[in-house]
Amino acid sequence: RPILDMSYSRHFLDFQGSSIPSSMKKLVVTKLSQNFREAVTLQQDSPVPLPGDGDLLVRNRFVGINASDINYSAGRYDASVKPPFDIGFEGVGDVVALGLSASADYTVGQAVAYVKAGSFAEYTVVPAKQAIPLPSVKPEFLTLMVSGTTAYISLKELGELSEGKKVLVTAAAGGTGQFAVQLAKKAKCHVIGTCSSDEKGGFLKSIGCDHTINYKTENVESVLRKDYPEGVDVVYESVGGKMFDLALNSLATKGRLIVIGFITGYQNPTGLSPIKAELLPAKLLRKSASIRGFFLNHYLSEYKMAMKNLLKMCEEGDLVCEVDLGDRSPEGKFTGLESVFRAVDYMYMGKNIGKIVVELPHSVNSKL
């Protein structure tokens, strides 16, 4: 019997005494497209998956929105995967059923977070080895799973941060930018953050950003040239296109530019926005500068260590984990899987402060 709790039937009880249904809602990529609304379908009656021996069945309570969700729906990460396939990278929820081997480390009712394709669903099967135990189900923990670890590992492995270094963070008030700002400050660096509104600038100052630049009202290149004539030592870059070009031009001697994304290009058919690359070798040579790419999947050996340290900082109140649940969006809070579409649009309009999270309400919890 691979299932430990209750009856191993299509209908069993979860730890709060409610019946786990036989079917659920989930989002599925049914057509490859960088247009999320075209690519993805909300399926109403998918069977609830059953966990195997080493698995947990997690009832998702919060799921995270990532800029690369539309890269996944466009089939850019694995050309061999053909639709239909599940989507969503990360979730936080309760363990409602588990396999026998998994019960050595987990119990029914435990709060867990995970990074695994298929989180945009009411229930997800997660291998116990990939789960992260949590003290409680809170959306703040979701900010750490991809966004926090990306900032932590990339700056540790590639940033070579030290006291007094000048660090430029683009899209600094976003899901991962907020952590790059705070972690660079903890390394005693001088942090410059670009953002698109005064409200975001205020948030950045509140988390320790030394110099904010509103690229809607200021010329970023002019400001950097005037205030940092020697250039910046490290750039944490997630925007691409023109922002990449000006960040490259702003590097100091021996400066390092870390590419963690290029969101301005993701909605294009190619997934790229043009850059002035012809002069790249000369620019790098002239400054002994370097460009490093960072993709989290290539650093999974560092992942648990990063999560452990981030969770500790978060629980001790040493790290702001800003969550954007859509309260400021025109139609209000992002609630239910149907609002994932709206949340993706909101991200690409550049409206979010912090990590965009969608809440998946559960009827049992609403009665408590």
Side-chain angles (χ1 to χ4, degrees):
R1 283 171 44 104
I3 292 289
L4 196 75
D5 67 305
M6 307 309 170
S7 62
Y8 187 36
S9 70
R10 259 314 186 190
H11 298 267
F12 43 94
L13 294 177
D14 79 14
F15 71 101
Q16 289 179 328
S18 67
S19 171
I20 294 177
S22 56
S23 63
M24 65 171 185
K25 293 179 185 174
K26 71 172 180 176
L27 294 186
V28 178
V29 176
T30 49
K31 172 192 173 188
L32 294 182
S33 171
Q34 77 281 355
N35 181 325
F36 194 82
R37 288 180 181 270
E38 276 183 19
V40 178
T41 304
L42 175 62
Q43 293 190 349
Q44 300 280 352
D45 55 356
S46 297
V48 171
L50 289 167
D53 181 56
D55 296 333
L56 312 173
L57 180 64
V58 178
R59 188 185 70 223
N60 294 314
R61 298 265 298 281
F62 297 98
V63 294
I65 305 296
N66 290 283
S68 46
D69 286 328
I70 69 172
N71 287 332
Y72 201 61
S73 72
R76 289 178 185 142
Y77 286 155
D78 186 350
S80 68
V81 178
K82 302 288 182 247
F85 56 86
D86 297 347
I87 191 165
F89 292 131
E90 54 187 343
V92 163
D94 308 297
V95 175
V96 292
L98 72 172
L100 194 57
S101 297
S103 67
D105 299 305
Y106 289 91
T107 57
V108 167
Q110 193 162 356
V112 294
Y114 65 88
V115 175
K116 178 183 179 282
S119 70
F120 292 164
E122 291 177 318
Y123 296 86
T124 303
V125 166
V126 179
K129 286 178 180 172
Q130 290 178 25
I132 306 270
L134 298 175
S136 60
V137 174
K138 286 200 306 193
E140 285 76 13
F141 293 129
L142 200 51
T143 66
L144 306 177
M145 298 301 295
V146 171
S147 301
T149 55
T150 293
Y152 187 100
I153 299 169
S154 66
L155 289 174
K156 176 176 174 284
E157 296 291 318
L158 309 178
E160 297 171 38
L161 301 185
S162 59
E163 187 171 349
K165 294 290 186 193
K166 294 182 276 294
V167 179
L168 171 64
V169 181
T170 63
T176 190
Q178 64 171 330
F179 293 110
V181 167
Q182 293 177 82
L183 294 169
K185 279 305 294 177
K186 286 182 188 304
K188 299 183 177 174
C189 296
H190 176 90
V191 183
I192 309 129
T194 70
C195 60
S196 61
S197 71
D198 291 340
E199 187 187 5
K200 290 184 180 187
F203 165 68
L204 288 173
K205 288 195 174 95
S206 77
I207 60 171
C209 192
D210 297 291
H211 188 164
T212 62
I213 307 173
N214 180 344
Y215 65 82
K216 291 279 178 78
T217 58
E218 299 174 83
N219 182 307
V220 180
E221 197 150 20
S222 302
V223 172
L224 290 172
R225 198 179 298 123
K226 174 175 159 288
D227 293 345
Y228 305 95
E230 300 293 310
V232 296
D233 301 295
V234 178
V235 182
Y236 186 83
E237 217 296 278
S238 60
V239 176
K242 289 176 182 170
M243 188 65 82
F244 173 89
D245 287 328
L246 74 84
L248 178 68
N249 293 338
S250 303
L251 282 177
T253 301
K254 296 184 183 175
R256 299 171 293 288
L257 190 153
I258 305 170
V259 177
I260 64 131
F262 27 92
I263 189 171
T264 50
Y266 293 169
Q267 289 179 302
N268 300 337
T270 60
L272 298 165
S273 44
I275 58 167
K276 294 174 182 167
E278 322 82 63
L279 301 172
L280 192 59
K283 286 179 179 177
L284 295 177
L285 179 66
R286 195 168 67 240
K287 293 178 176 177
S288 293
S290 61
I291 299 174
R292 301 288 299 270
F294 180 86
F295 187 47
L296 186 59
N297 288 13
H298 297 147
Y299 288 86
L300 295 181
S301 59
E302 305 290 311
Y303 187 82
K304 291 222 164 173
M305 171 275 301
M307 267 306 291
K308 183 182 171 190
N309 289 333
L310 288 166
L311 272 170
K312 184 169 181 280
M313 283 190 269
C314 181
E315 288 179 69
E316 291 174 354
D318 207 18
L319 195 67
V320 173
C321 304
E322 188 70 15
V323 171
D324 193 330
L325 284 158
D327 298 297
R328 292 185 305 276
S329 71
E331 293 168 59
K333 195 171 170 182
F334 302 131
T335 306
L337 285 171
E338 42 287 329
S339 70
V340 167
F341 298 97
R342 207 160 49 82
V344 170
D345 289 344
Y346 181 73
M347 169 177 282
Y348 278 93
M349 287 187 284
K351 301 291 187 190
N352 58 300
I353 296 180
K355 172 85 178 181
I356 301 179
V357 173
V358 174
E359 183 172 6
L360 306 186
H362 187 249
S363 54
V364 172
N365 294 331
S366 63
K367 293 174 192 165
L368 294 177

